[in-house]
Amino acid sequence: MSDTHFGFQTLDEAQKASRVRGVFDSVAPKYDVMNDLMSMGLHRAWKAYTVAVANLRPGQAVLDIAGGTGDLARAFARKVGPTGTVVHTDINEAMLRQGRDRLIDEGLVLPTLLCDGEKLPFATASFDLVSVAFGLRNMTRKEAALAEMMRVLKPGGRLLVLEFSKVAEPLQKVYDWYSFKVLPRIGQLVAHDGDSYRYLAESIRMHPGQAQLKAMMRDAGFGHVDVHNLSAGVVALHVGIKC
Ligand code: SAM
């Protein structure tokens, strides 16, 4: 068994998933309000951009991995309409429940499935589009996850990876101050859990930057990969095409 990272800590691969589960079990009830607070509402713009790039048509089949409280699944479901399918998935039951309840409250009943992005329980070539927003960073075996995403896409299908990335140099100092000093305090005050938000800041620093993730997607077999920097690289949207 090899080593991996949980934020800045190095640990055995077998331990990471349960540490990540602990984080999301803890933050699930306050996840949406914390997302708005921490990003000052920007996560809504990043997701709206992702939905625009997805450019879905009625009738298409979409898989949202690490879908959590369902922001992307809800927007995608409206685009593909009643003839399409959006499968809302996550490895964490607490997050998935929050998402499912919210979607039902909004009149959307989607297939909802507890599953690991690293081992997808779907047939090869099932989906027109696969998305993973702020989820890949938390996975232990990112190469295996990307290979699975590639496998379940139809030929010509696209993978959208929305994730924190490497911020532009002039902003680094202020971004570090905000991430390591402010974020954990907001987490402690609102969600009574500073540690989970410290993990968030650390995991962002350990995640591959724009060029490295692009190379990983090419290695997973995506014939073409575009990178869209958002908010000066705080976040990047990687779009891979299964050619
Ligand atoms: N996609 C949602 C969003 O953008 O608001 C939720 C993102 S949340 C930061 C990260 C999600 O990744 C959590 O719900 C967590 O349970 C999920 N996750 C972590 N590891 C996973 C894995 N191996 N497979 C599937 N989901 C995973």
Side-chain angles (χ1 to χ4, degrees), residues 20 24 31 35 47 64-69 71 90-92 95 115-118 133-135 137-139:
V20 170
F24 289 102
Y31 181 80
N35 252 0
K47 286 169 181 163
D64 188 30
I65 297 173
T69 56
D71 283 346
D90 199 285
I91 201 171
N92 185 291
M95 291 291 287
C115 75
D116 185 349
E118 297 172 28
F134 306 109
R137 192 184 68 249
N138 299 296
M139 295 182 192

Side-chain angles (χ1 to χ4, degrees), residues 138-158:
N138 299 296
M139 295 182 192
T140 308
R141 293 159 57 243
K142 294 176 185 46
E143 286 83 0
L146 290 171
E148 276 292 85
M149 295 172 199
M150 172 81 179
R151 181 184 67 75
V152 300
L153 275 170
K154 296 177 186 173
R158 284 169 306 147

Side-chain angles (χ1 to χ4, degrees), residues 50-124:
T50 303
V51 174
V53 170
N55 194 23
L56 288 164
R57 293 190 302 278
Q60 288 192 307
V62 180
L63 170 66
D64 188 30
I65 297 173
T69 56
D71 283 346
L72 281 186
R74 174 182 48 184
F76 289 155
R78 291 188 176 136
K79 297 285 180 192
V80 302
T83 56
T85 318
V86 177
V87 187
H88 173 218
T89 69
D90 199 285
I91 201 171
N92 185 291
E93 196 176 334
M95 291 291 287
L96 203 59
R97 272 182 198 281
Q98 292 279 336
R100 188 199 52 185
D101 291 353
R102 222 181 101 196
L103 292 169
I104 290 173
D105 288 348
E106 294 177 24
L108 285 170
V109 182
L110 307 184
T112 298
L113 205 81
L114 195 68
C115 75
D116 185 349
E118 297 172 28
K119 283 177 248 141
L120 294 171
F122 301 103
T124 298

Side-chain angles (χ1 to χ4, degrees), residues 22-28 30 34 183-199:
V23 167
F24 289 102
D25 281 346
S26 163
V27 304
K30 296 273 184 198
M34 278 300 294
L183 262 189
R185 284 189 194 174
I186 303 179
Q188 187 58 44
L189 274 173
V190 179
H192 307 293
D193 180 0
D195 285 347
S196 290
Y197 291 91
R198 206 161 293 112
Y199 160 73

